[in-house]
Amino acid sequence: RHRRGAEAPDDNMDDKGQEDIKMGIMRQFKKFPITPLVVIFGCLGAFVSYALSNPNQVGTEAKVIVMLMALVSLLMYLFLAVPPVSQDLGYHNFADKRCLCCGVPNTLDVASNIPFAIVGLVALSLQLTGHFVIDGRREVQIAWGFLWVSIIAIGFGSAYYHWAPTNATLVWDRLPMTFAFTGLTALLMQENAGVGLISLPILVGIGVWSVWYWAKTDDLRPYFFVQGFPMLTLPFFLYLFPSKYDQRDYYLFALAWYAIARVTEVNDRKIFTMSGRLFSGHTLK
């Protein structure tokens, strides 16, 4: 564990050092008591099951109230049951530090963010040129456009961070990610629960605050909530509030890839070794 403000570990850290970093990340997550989470999501799952079995007895208002109760319960859990979670500086010591092209440090970790920008640009251009219409309402079009811009910003922000990984540059990696997570949450609320898109600026503001709070206090709990709540509650939300659109299962498909990405991130050096030093777990993520 490194004190706040200390220098990141030496670049020439051996495998044992990398394992220590992995254990440091795992120790952070061990601060989260499991039992309260099992109770919260067990109750949420039971309600979803009841609502699906008795659709005529459970109205939209009751569903919204239950989701809000889950949100408040997770917030109380996070700030009452979990101690402050600081950013382990070992996180910045990624396995693949090679400079492979044009003097770009950490070349593959930097370059692996290019697809974010490409996907965001393609989606935004298709929307602006009218090749697909997501929803006829102007505010929904703006919200989807905001999501595409957020994904483009992730490409640039994350590449900037991986060029020189520090807590200071990590802010510009996490900030656009909060835009994307909160923007997607607002769109799901509108599509499935009919909640007005006034929630978009509110949720984005909470996301910005979570990154600011971490940067000022070195406490990651609000940021974990902003990123974790949409992902953890997505399956419940999709089945509790049937969408007026088809192909909603693609959200679950994306969620599965998100989970896989988390696994590759934790196994950064192991994947780097198994691939014959072709690519690392973080690059694959």
Side-chain angles (χ1 to χ4, degrees):
R1 181 177 176 85
H2 306 279
R3 66 178 177 83
R4 186 182 177 193
E7 293 296 323
D10 187 85
D11 283 350
N12 297 318
M13 185 172 287
D14 57 14
D15 289 354
K16 177 60 168 61
Q18 286 287 334
E19 284 301 311
D20 288 342
I21 289 171
K22 180 179 176 181
M23 292 305 296
I25 295 174
M26 298 307 294
R27 280 195 298 271
Q28 282 187 327
F29 287 101
K30 285 182 179 179
K31 292 183 178 181
F32 293 76
I34 298 299
T35 303
L37 283 177
V38 172
V39 172
I40 292 172
F41 284 100
C43 292
L44 186 57
F47 177 80
V48 172
S49 178
Y50 176 79
L52 292 176
S53 302
N54 304 274
N56 296 327
Q57 299 181 26
V58 182
T60 300
E61 184 177 340
K63 295 176 182 179
V64 171
I65 290 173
V66 168
M67 291 303 297
L68 287 174
M69 289 174 62
L71 186 150
V72 172
S73 298
L74 285 172
L75 275 175
M76 292 177 64
Y77 160 78
L78 199 60
F79 285 94
L80 296 179
V82 180
V85 181
S86 61
Q87 178 65 58
D88 194 305
L89 294 181
Y91 176 82
H92 305 305
N93 194 45
F94 300 108
D96 190 357
K97 302 181 178 63
R98 296 172 299 174
C99 177
L100 301 177
C101 179
C102 307
V104 177
N106 314 310
T107 306
L108 291 184
D109 280 351
V110 172
S112 64
N113 291 287
I114 294 175
F116 279 112
I118 293 175
V119 169
L121 284 168
V122 169
L124 184 63
S125 63
L126 287 173
Q127 182 179 340
L128 292 176
T129 55
H131 283 78
F132 64 80
V133 178
I134 302 167
D135 189 299
R137 289 170 297 168
R138 179 177 175 81
E139 64 269 23
V140 178
Q141 290 288 320
I142 291 174
W144 276 105
F146 177 82
L147 179 62
W148 308 141
V149 172
S150 299
I151 293 174
I152 295 169
I154 289 174
F156 288 101
S158 191
Y160 174 68
Y161 162 64
H162 284 288
W163 188 290
T166 65
N167 273 7
T169 55
L170 185 56
V171 170
W172 301 104
D173 180 28
R174 286 178 170 163
L175 196 59
M177 281 197 285
T178 64
F179 292 163
F181 280 112
T182 55
L184 181 59
T185 301
L187 282 163
L188 281 170
M189 290 169 64
Q190 186 278 325
E191 283 186 359
N192 293 59
V195 177
L197 282 173
I198 186 61
S199 60
L200 177 61
I202 296 173
L203 292 174
V204 170
I206 293 173
V208 172
W209 172 80
S210 73
V211 175
W212 175 87
Y213 184 85
W214 160 65
K216 291 296 182 182
T217 67
D218 196 28
D219 185 358
L220 284 165
R221 289 178 298 175
Y223 177 75
F224 283 158
F225 176 79
V226 167
Q227 185 172 157
F229 181 78
M231 298 296 102
L232 291 172
T233 59
L234 178 60
F236 300 101
F237 195 87
L238 288 177
Y239 287 101
L240 200 57
F241 300 95
S243 176
K244 57 185 176 182
Y245 302 105
D246 59 1
Q247 301 181 345
R248 68 174 184 178
D249 288 344
Y250 279 110
Y251 285 120
L252 298 178
F253 185 66
L255 180 61
W257 280 111
Y258 174 83
I260 293 170
R262 285 301 174 195
V263 173
T264 64
E265 178 183 33
V266 172
N267 293 281
D268 184 33
R269 175 161 290 274
K270 182 180 292 187
I271 292 174
F272 189 49
T273 302
M274 290 174 60
S275 69
R277 301 177 67 86
L278 289 176
F279 53 84
S280 67
H282 204 85
T283 297
L284 188 59
K285 170 216 171 185

